Amino acid sequence: TSCSHYLLKGSSLKKMSVCLLRRSVRFASSVSSNITVSQLRPGVKVMSLDRKPVNSLTKDFMRDIIDTVKALENDGETKGVILASSIPNIFSAGLHVPEIYDKPRSYLQEFYSNLQEIWLTLNNTPLVTAAAIEGHCPAGGYVLALCCDERVMTKGKYLIGLNETELGIVPPPWVIGSYRAAIGQRHADRLLQQGALVDPQTAFDLGMIDALVEPGEAIATADKFMEPYLRVNQSSRHFTKRLSREHFVSLLENNREEDVNRFVGLLETDEIQGILGKFIANLNKKNATK
């Protein structure tokens, strides 16, 4: 049976998802050792993060993501991209904490500059974007998803959200702005202060994600959600996207150096370095017992 014969509902949606993925493997090409790009159908590609064990965002991995998106923008064929993970039960664990602990100022500045750039790249891209979230998605992982036009998550015992305050980190204004735009001022205010992570159903109820689906259906659903974006004039759609997001994107574009200095200055304090050191020690202890 042809993939196109499946309807986008119930178990048929899952069948279509599997079928699309099987078809895409034939076109898979590695753009980086940690990212694989596969063609889902003409004009639409899946960009799968594969930095084991949990897709944590290192300085170099963030640069890989930026470069991959830029390459897709310029390949002359891609109109939409689905951001996904090749690692089971995890979308991305967020920033790689060892890279912001006991590091020189120049390294921290470059690290944070890449975080700024990945956020601007995903928010400003002319491509239609969707996140297919099939696992845990905390902190910087959710920042990636928050940049996308659509966010689809599978049901399961997963957590998602912005928990930066647990590590003593203050979310930057541009992240706060996009989070507020997604879920409203009151919910954003509460969850950001608490550093709260929530389950998929709560995330859907709050508007943090746009669809909650059965395991195996995320990519097909994301593809379906992208279709209305792809049907309209792409130049006017992209310009509208830029205007719609201008109020929080400009918070970063107009204050990049000041934003870097604020973040790095906070990270360099003894209090925050102490919190990060304890987090890494606990993580190493947990990994040693596995």
Side-chain angles (χ1 to χ4, degrees), residues 36-49:
T36 299
V37 175
S38 306
Q39 184 163 319
L40 190 63
R41 58 184 174 89
V44 176
K45 291 188 172 71
V46 177
M47 179 177 157
S48 298
L49 307 182

Side-chain angles (χ1 to χ4, degrees), residues 1-289:
T1 303
S2 168
C3 292
S4 61
H5 289 170
Y6 288 115
L7 297 175
L8 292 176
K9 59 182 180 180
S11 62
S12 294
L13 180 61
K14 188 172 184 178
K15 290 178 182 178
M16 183 177 184
S17 182
V18 172
C19 195
L20 285 169
L21 285 172
R22 286 174 177 168
R23 185 174 67 186
S24 71
V25 171
R26 301 174 191 170
F27 300 94
S29 60
S30 179
V31 175
S32 127
S33 59
N34 294 318
I35 300 173
T36 299
V37 175
S38 306
Q39 184 163 319
L40 190 63
R41 58 184 174 89
V44 176
K45 291 188 172 71
V46 177
M47 179 177 157
S48 298
L49 307 182
D50 192 20
R51 184 183 178 278
K52 295 177 175 59
V54 290
N55 284 330
S56 56
L57 301 173
T58 64
K59 175 173 64 68
D60 291 340
F61 188 35
M62 287 190 284
R63 176 49 55 184
D64 286 344
I65 295 172
I66 295 164
D67 291 345
T68 302
V69 173
K70 294 293 187 182
L72 292 174
E73 290 176 355
N74 295 311
D75 69 4
E77 194 271 336
T78 303
K79 304 298 182 186
V81 61
I82 298 171
L83 188 60
S85 170
S86 298
I87 303 173
N89 301 315
I90 187 76
F91 181 73
S92 169
L95 301 185
H96 189 59
V97 175
E99 287 211 347
I100 55 175
Y101 175 69
D102 195 26
K103 291 289 190 293
R105 170 171 279 255
S106 60
Y107 190 93
L108 294 175
Q109 289 172 329
E110 186 178 358
F111 178 94
Y112 190 68
S113 180
N114 281 1
L115 178 62
Q116 292 178 326
E117 189 65 29
I118 199 173
W119 191 85
L120 288 172
T121 297
L122 286 171
N123 270 289
N124 290 332
T125 181
L127 301 173
V128 179
T129 57
I133 306 165
E134 300 180 282
H136 294 292
C137 186
Y142 183 59
V143 171
L144 295 183
L146 197 55
C147 297
C148 294
D149 299 313
E150 296 286 343
R151 294 175 287 278
V152 178
M153 189 173 188
T154 55
K155 298 175 182 177
K157 295 181 178 180
Y158 305 128
L159 293 174
I160 184 171
L162 299 174
N163 62 328
E164 280 78 355
T165 55
E166 283 195 344
L167 290 176
I169 297 173
V170 178
W174 34 279
V175 170
I176 293 174
S178 57
Y179 196 38
R180 184 191 301 124
I183 68 172
Q185 172 64 39
R186 182 66 188 110
H187 291 311
D189 185 25
R190 176 186 290 126
L191 296 178
L192 284 167
Q193 289 191 59
Q194 296 173 355
L197 298 175
V198 301
D199 61 82
Q201 183 62 58
T202 302
F204 177 69
D205 294 340
L206 289 171
M208 293 169 63
I209 56 174
D210 302 299
L212 184 59
V213 299
E214 297 296 331
E217 297 178 0
I219 289 178
T221 304
D223 183 42
K224 178 188 176 185
F225 275 25
M226 291 172 70
E227 189 56 38
Y229 294 84
L230 296 170
R231 283 201 299 262
V232 300
N233 178 273
Q234 292 304 289
S235 295
S236 60
R237 180 197 58 77
H238 180 224
F239 189 53
T240 300
K241 174 180 178 176
R242 292 292 302 269
L243 288 175
S244 177
R245 302 185 184 196
E246 183 178 18
H247 61 293
F248 54 81
V249 171
S250 63
L251 287 174
L252 175 54
E253 288 181 327
N254 298 333
N255 301 283
R256 289 194 64 169
E257 184 177 352
E258 178 184 340
D259 186 55
V260 169
N261 291 335
R262 180 199 61 80
F263 182 81
V264 172
L266 180 65
L267 280 183
E268 289 180 324
T269 63
D270 291 340
E271 179 185 5
I272 303 307
Q273 286 293 299
I275 293 172
L276 296 176
K278 289 178 181 178
F279 176 84
I280 294 171
N282 290 335
L283 188 62
N284 290 337
K285 186 182 300 183
K286 185 184 297 184
N287 290 336
T289 60

